[in-house]
Amino acid sequence: MVRFIGKSVSVLMPLLAIVIAYEVGSRYLFNQPTIWAQDLALFFFAYLVGLGGAYAYQKKTHINVDILYLAVSPKTKRIFDVLTGILAAFFMFVLMMIAYEKFGEALQFNYRKMSNWAPHTHHFWMMLVISGALITLQISSNMVKDIYYVIAGQALISEPEEEDTEDGN
């Protein structure tokens, strides 16, 4: 599910580039800026980061303190991963609770972005809840594998070196 959503949301990247290019052309070539392009670009970017975060975590492309992480044994790395997973899951829980509360407020009070276009913001808050849940699921999956490795000394599931060989990624 995480891989599917992560790859699906990637279609927003070229759309984001098109929106930005359109706005630049409208503003600087035709002196006719849009009222919607900046807001739409911000939403696209937020969706890319939010919904793509779980996929990045799954692929282990998130940030580590490499100077320390690369200097320890695989077992110690897994212990670090479990500890940081606990902190990250707590952060995601707080994020989901706040975002869900803001989602309710946005619906109840018809919150809109403060701009000329004034789009609704409730979808943004719900996206944060969903992305927090996806990241938490991925953290949980990783933690189960890491705890098993720490206890058993071997991988729970042997993972291929490169999963995306069929499309070259």
Side-chain angles (χ1 to χ4, degrees), residues 48-77:
L48 275 162
V49 171
L51 295 172
Y55 185 59
Y57 198 81
Q58 182 183 66
K59 301 293 282 180
K60 298 192 181 292
T61 57
H62 57 286
I63 297 172
N64 276 327
V65 181
D66 285 342
I67 195 164
L68 181 61
Y69 194 78
L70 296 177
V72 297
S73 69
K75 187 173 184 176
T76 304
K77 287 179 185 176

Side-chain angles (χ1 to χ4, degrees), residues 73-125:
S73 69
K75 187 173 184 176
T76 304
K77 287 179 185 176
R78 301 291 180 112
I79 292 170
F80 284 169
D81 290 343
V82 169
L83 294 175
T84 57
I86 291 168
L87 291 173
F90 174 74
F91 176 77
M92 287 297 116
F93 178 75
V94 171
L95 173 81
M96 288 186 294
M97 294 299 104
I98 292 170
Y100 185 74
E101 185 178 308
K102 291 291 187 183
F103 170 73
E105 288 177 16
L107 283 177
Q108 182 180 2
F109 300 113
N110 195 28
Y111 284 171
R112 294 173 174 270
K113 191 163 179 318
M114 293 178 60
S115 66
N116 289 335
W117 186 36
H120 292 278
T121 60
H122 63 277
H123 62 89
F124 171 77
W125 297 109

Side-chain angles (χ1 to χ4, degrees), residues 120-139:
H120 292 278
T121 60
H122 63 277
H123 62 89
F124 171 77
W125 297 109
M126 184 48 67
M127 179 276 300
L128 284 178
V129 172
I130 292 168
S131 65
L134 286 172
I135 292 170
T136 302
L137 286 172
Q138 189 58 54
I139 289 169

Side-chain angles (χ1 to χ4, degrees), residues 152-163:
Q154 62 184 13
L156 176 62
I157 301 169
S158 62
E159 298 178 16
E161 291 295 317
E162 186 62 42
E163 297 173 353

